[in-house]
């Protein structure tokens, strides 16, 4: 089963940009984010806009967060860790409560906020014994598509990267750095053979954010039914940098004559490093609507629906190979002689459904439970003119499932001034079993086969445990929270394929590693109600 390269933006990028993180005020985070039926917090402007209808006074507040993350990769006997610390503003917002004097709708409220809804900052590295080579993967699809050496080489005024014939940029890069070598007019071999052994390393840096600017309106009917609606404008930025190396012995390496002309292959030592990056940025918009029903003072029921976020995006990328073969061949080649691949595209993230129920025990305690449904398989990508990329959207359904999120939170008031809180949240894996286990081809080539980052990762479940403390003095409040996050992912250097599989075992046919992310967040909120 050899995958041919596709034409279109990748499903992996669509998922990366559709994620939202666990962010908000310290009170919201310390209670696991279980606020769909509670309201009365600035974070509800991004969760259930009906929470704005609960307010009976105005409020202004700010939240700051410190995130200390440790990422550990493990591959057999190899294990490596990398740390990253970030500081940001979780949110800043204002709620204006207007008393109408009406018994039917006593309050009409409005609010505006800035929120960091996703944080893409992550860094990890690792190494391990090779189970196959990226070069063989490239040789396989280059041969399958019948590209000849003239399609892959620059000469006179011919630049293979810019020709309309659509030659894969990774094939051009690999051919000119001797990662793949001709065995016929349109056939190629990689460096790996049945005698080869080696070690691979990888070093990955991801950074970026999704920020949302929200405007919300809401109110309540007879202090029983609370309603709200909100419009969000999002600003997104994502950048990844991947450095991947292979170091092999007994490889199938190129042989050159005295004039440095290619004359065939021989056995020898081989090593190369692929340095690739991509940057994606853009803006989008969404709409939210919700309600909270309070049939009795001790019970609240909440429901909210978020439309997809509709993005217009710009993307660019670059790659280079530093190579060396023993004996006497070494050099450096980059994809495009200094200019970057650039294109524009559109993304529609999945819609979201949130439900919640909470109980108020006297004036001392609150217990809350939330459930959220996100059909990640409904992500949709289009070109800049709005035409569907059907192949990519089919890949989305192959790689991703619907994701469920369960949130539980509790608060106990020790005194009129002090409260303690705790919460828990679990997110099921958005990745299908075949994607996690390497049982299906994963396409990363991008539009017109110009993308040059073959590695990718799929996430498993994510868990959060949180605790917090709150203090109130007259109209002033300060809240603090501690949040621990645990998530495991599966990273692969390239998609499993026929050319390096072990028997019929696709799971072991490409270098891969488990990635364990553990982060500790400290969150502080300050605000005034008036």
């Amino acid at each position: 089963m050899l995958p041919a390269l596709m034409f279109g933006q990748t499903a992996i990028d669509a998922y990366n940009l559709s994620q939202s993180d666990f962010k908000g005020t310290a009170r919201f985070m310390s209670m696991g984010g279980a606020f769909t039926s509670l309201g009365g917090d600035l974070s509800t402007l991004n969760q259930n806009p009906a929470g704005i209808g609960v307010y009976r006074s105005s409020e202004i507040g700010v939240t700051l967060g410190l995130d200390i993350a440790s990422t550990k990769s493990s591959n057999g006997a190899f294990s490596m860790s990398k740390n990253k610390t970030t500081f940001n503003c979780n949110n800043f917002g204002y709620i204006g409560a207007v008393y109408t004097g009406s018994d039917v709708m006593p309050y009409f409220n409005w609010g505006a906020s800035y929120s960091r809804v996703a944080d893409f900052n992550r860094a990890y590295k690792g190494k391990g014994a090779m189970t196959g080579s990226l070069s063989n993967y490239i040789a396989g699809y280059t041969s399958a598509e019948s590209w000849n050496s003239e399609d892959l080489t620059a000469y006179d005024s011919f630049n293979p990267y810019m020709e309309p014939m659509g030659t894969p940029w990774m094939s051009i890069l690999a051919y000119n750095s001797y990662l793949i070598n001709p065995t016929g007019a349109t056939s190629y071999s990689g460096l790996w053979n049945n005698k080869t052994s080696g070690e691979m390393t990888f070093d990955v840096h991801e950074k970026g954010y999704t920020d949302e600017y929200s405007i919300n309106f809401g109110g309540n009917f007879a202090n029983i039914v609370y309603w709200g609606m909100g419009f969000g404008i999002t600003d997104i930025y994502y950048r990844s940098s991947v450095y991947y190396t292979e170091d092999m012995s007994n490889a199938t390496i190129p042989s050159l004559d005295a004039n440095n002309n290619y004359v065939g292959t021989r056995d020898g030592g081989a090593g190369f490093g692929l340095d690739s990056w991509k940057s994606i940025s853009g803006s989008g918009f969404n709409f939210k609507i919700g309600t909270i029903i309070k049939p009795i003072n001790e019970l609240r029921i909440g429901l909210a629906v978020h439309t997809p976020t509709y993005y217009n995006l710009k993307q660019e990328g670059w790659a280079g190979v530093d190579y060396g073969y023993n004996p006497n061949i070494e050099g450096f080649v980059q994809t495009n002689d200094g200019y970057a691949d650039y294109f524009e595209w559109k993304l529609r993230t999945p819609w979201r459904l949130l439900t919640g129920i909470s109980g108020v025990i006297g004036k001392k305690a609150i217990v809350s439970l939330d459930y959220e449904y996100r059909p990640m398989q409904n992500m949709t990508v289009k070109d800049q003119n709005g035409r569907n990329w059907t192949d990519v959207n089919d890949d989305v359904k192959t790689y991703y499932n619907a994701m469920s999120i369960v949130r539980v939170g509790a608060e106990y008031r020790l005194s009129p001034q002090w409260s303690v809180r705790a919460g828990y949240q679990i997110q099921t894996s958005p990745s299908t079993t075949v994607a996690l286990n390497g049982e299906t081809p994963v396409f990363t080539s991008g539009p017109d086969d110009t993308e040059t980052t073959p590695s990718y990762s799929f996430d498993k479940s994510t868990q959060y445990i949180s605790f917090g403390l709150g203090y109130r003095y007259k109209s002033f409040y300060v809240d603090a929270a501690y949040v621990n996050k645990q998530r495991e992912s599966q990273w692969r250097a390239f998609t499993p394929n026929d050319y390096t599989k072990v028997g019929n075992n696709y799971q072991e046919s490409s270098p891969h590693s488990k990635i364990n992310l553990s982060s500790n967040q400290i969150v502080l909120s300050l605000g005034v109600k008036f």
Side-chain angles (χ1 to χ4, degrees), residues 27-28 31 33-39 41 44 47-48 292 368 370:
R27 184 178 182 227
F28 176 86
M31 295 178 64
F35 267 73
T36 301
S37 60
L38 288 177
D41 187 275
T44 62
Q47 189 188 55
N48 184 356
I292 296 174
S368 184
D370 277 12

Side-chain angles (χ1 to χ4, degrees), residues 451-468:
E451 283 202 52
T452 47
T453 303
S455 62
Y456 59 88
S457 65
F458 284 107
D459 294 335
K460 296 186 178 180
S461 62
T462 305
Q463 297 185 68
Y464 299 88
I465 298 174
S466 56
F467 303 95

